[in-house]
Amino acid sequence: MAAYIMQMHENILQTHIPIRYIDVEIAYVGEGEGTDVYIGAAGNRGEVYRYLFYVSGGPKAAGNHQVVHHLDVSSEVYDLKIVSNSSTPNHLVIRIYCRSGAGELIGVLSEHQMLKLAN
């Protein structure tokens, strides 16, 4: 099982442009049959969003890649959770694309950068 929990808010990248939306990209790179992935967020006012999908294995498999677009980000802090039910280590590649209110790409958080933010 892999679980990533990070606090999200509009100034997480500390740029002069606030983040209004994120796109979360999940790719399966494991050797197994695939895994279920949960992406959800909860804040002080309850659940913000929830997605559940399946990503599968194989070098060019149609289902080994999933992008969840236009997830809202506000000034209030909320917990972003990405959880999979696979017991194989290093089975997912995760990227978060941070966008302004106009849809411009501000920055990309890789899994390595998310771990650095968590420390």
Side-chain angles (χ1 to χ4, degrees), residues 6-12 41-46 48 73-80:
M6 64 183 292
Q7 290 189 330
M8 290 295 296
H9 53 85
E10 65 183 7
N11 295 318
I12 193 162
N44 291 337
R45 299 180 187 186
V48 181
V73 177
S74 69
S75 59
E76 294 183 26
V77 176
Y78 66 88
D79 290 332
L80 174 67

Side-chain angles (χ1 to χ4, degrees), residues 6-107:
M6 64 183 292
Q7 290 189 330
M8 290 295 296
H9 53 85
E10 65 183 7
N11 295 318
I12 193 162
L13 293 182
Q14 299 177 356
T15 63
H16 65 281
I17 303 171
I19 299 168
R20 294 292 182 225
Y21 303 101
I22 59 172
D23 299 332
V24 179
E25 178 183 23
I26 305 286
Y28 186 81
V29 293
E31 295 294 323
E33 296 195 13
T35 186
D36 293 313
V37 177
Y38 165 84
I39 297 176
N44 291 337
R45 299 180 187 186
E47 187 174 70
V48 181
Y49 46 79
R50 172 184 2 173
Y51 294 89
L52 181 63
F53 52 88
Y54 181 80
V55 288
S56 59
K60 296 282 185 187
N64 73 343
H65 178 254
Q66 183 82 4
V67 180
V68 181
H69 294 280
H70 301 293
L71 302 177
D72 289 334
V73 177
S74 69
S75 59
E76 294 183 26
V77 176
Y78 66 88
D79 290 332
L80 174 67
K81 298 175 184 176
I82 302 171
V83 181
S84 78
N85 66 350
S86 177
S87 60
T88 307
N90 304 317
H91 60 284
L92 293 179
V93 174
I94 301 168
R95 288 189 185 89
I96 298 176
Y97 298 89
C98 302
R99 301 192 180 278
S100 69
E104 300 169 314
L105 182 63
I106 298 171

